[in-house]
């Protein structure tokens, strides 16, 4: 699966015509889960092989938990009468 992600990302990168010096990829995964690490490594390898240019990669560790629901910072205003 990771390899297919890397290939597709490389296709999209080439199609977009982005400047490699101004482009980065982000790899976010739960780094203590080996299958996740394997997929990320395969993705990076396939992107590098198919993108036609080297771009910076940013690794981001995550625990893969769902974020807390958002709450409004201020109360809603009452509807305006018509």
């Amino acid at each position: 699966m990771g390899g297919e992600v890397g290939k597709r990302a490389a296709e999209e990168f080439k199609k977009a015509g982005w400047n490699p010096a101004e482009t980065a990829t982000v790899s976010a995964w739960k780094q203590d889960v080996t299958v996740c690490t394997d997929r990320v490594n395969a993705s990076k390898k396939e992107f590098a092989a198919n993108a036609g240019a080297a771009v910076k990669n940013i690794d981001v560790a995550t625990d893969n938990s769902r974020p807390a629901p958002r709450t409004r910072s201020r109360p809603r205003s009452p509807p305006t009468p018509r």
Side-chain angles (χ1 to χ4, degrees), residues 5-78:
V5 170
K7 287 178 189 174
R8 176 64 187 269
E11 289 173 19
E12 296 298 327
F13 170 73
K14 289 192 290 190
K15 189 181 344 177
W18 292 332
N19 179 347
E22 298 173 351
T23 305
T25 57
V26 177
S27 301
W29 79 103
K30 191 162 181 357
Q31 295 175 336
D32 62 344
V33 177
T34 56
V35 70
C36 293
T37 301
D38 293 343
R39 288 179 178 169
V40 167
N41 289 339
S43 177
K44 289 179 183 181
K45 178 181 175 184
E46 289 300 324
F47 184 89
N50 292 284
V55 300
K56 177 181 179 179
N57 180 265
I58 302 165
D59 289 337
V60 178
T62 177
D63 65 2
N64 288 346
S65 62
R66 290 183 64 168
R70 291 185 175 199
T71 58
R72 291 185 153 280
S73 58
R74 58 185 170 88
R76 288 187 182 191
S77 301

